[in-house]
Amino acid sequence: PEYIRDDILPEFFRNFWIRRMALDRRNYRQVVETTEELANKVGCSHVLSRVVDDLKDDSEPYRRMVMETVQRVLENLGSGDVDERLEERLIDGILYAFQEQAVDASSMG
């Protein structure tokens, strides 16, 4: 897990967690599934702390990809290793993403 956490995670997030991945359904799914598997190896908080701020991204498809990842990681691993600060950031980001989703939907309707 240390090797994955120190050597693989930084490169993976730098190269694959980009907005363009959220626009292609196949890439989207692979990024989410791979992130989920990495979380299974290194723990919930190591992965969630890297994506939590992306819940406030301008791109709705990207926010959706982040939200799905957060949901799947928490369903698999629970929130046992999520500290209070990360929990606050998650709640704040989820509320923001939900609010933006509602704004996007009302402006289209």
Side-chain angles (χ1 to χ4, degrees):
E2 194 173 305
Y3 168 73
I4 294 171
R5 185 175 50 247
D6 298 340
D7 296 339
I8 294 176
L9 281 187
E11 292 298 312
F12 173 75
F13 280 96
R14 191 166 54 79
N15 290 300
F16 294 102
W17 273 91
I18 54 178
R19 290 179 180 154
R20 192 174 66 233
M21 291 295 183
L23 300 177
D24 179 338
R25 194 71 191 146
R26 189 176 55 216
N27 288 342
Y28 171 115
R29 189 166 312 288
Q30 289 175 337
V31 169
V32 170
E33 289 173 0
T34 303
T35 306
E36 184 180 4
E37 287 304 314
L38 287 169
N40 290 339
K41 302 277 188 234
V42 300
C44 178
S45 64
H46 289 291
V47 168
L48 294 184
S49 64
R50 292 179 181 272
V51 299
V52 65
D53 293 331
D54 293 338
L55 285 166
K56 294 184 176 184
D57 193 86
D58 292 338
S59 165
E60 157 117 44
Y62 188 67
R63 286 195 312 262
R64 202 172 15 247
M65 186 170 83
V66 174
M67 192 63 228
E68 183 176 333
T69 300
V70 168
Q71 178 182 352
R72 289 172 71 159
V73 167
L74 287 173
E75 283 174 356
N76 286 349
L77 301 173
S79 60
D81 70 336
V82 173
D83 64 24
E84 190 174 323
R85 180 68 188 124
L86 180 55
E87 183 179 345
E88 289 171 3
R89 290 169 58 205
L90 280 166
I91 291 170
D92 188 45
I94 291 167
L95 289 173
Y96 176 88
F98 182 75
Q99 179 181 342
E100 287 300 303
Q101 181 182 11
V103 168
D104 290 348
S106 67
S107 66
M108 294 174 90

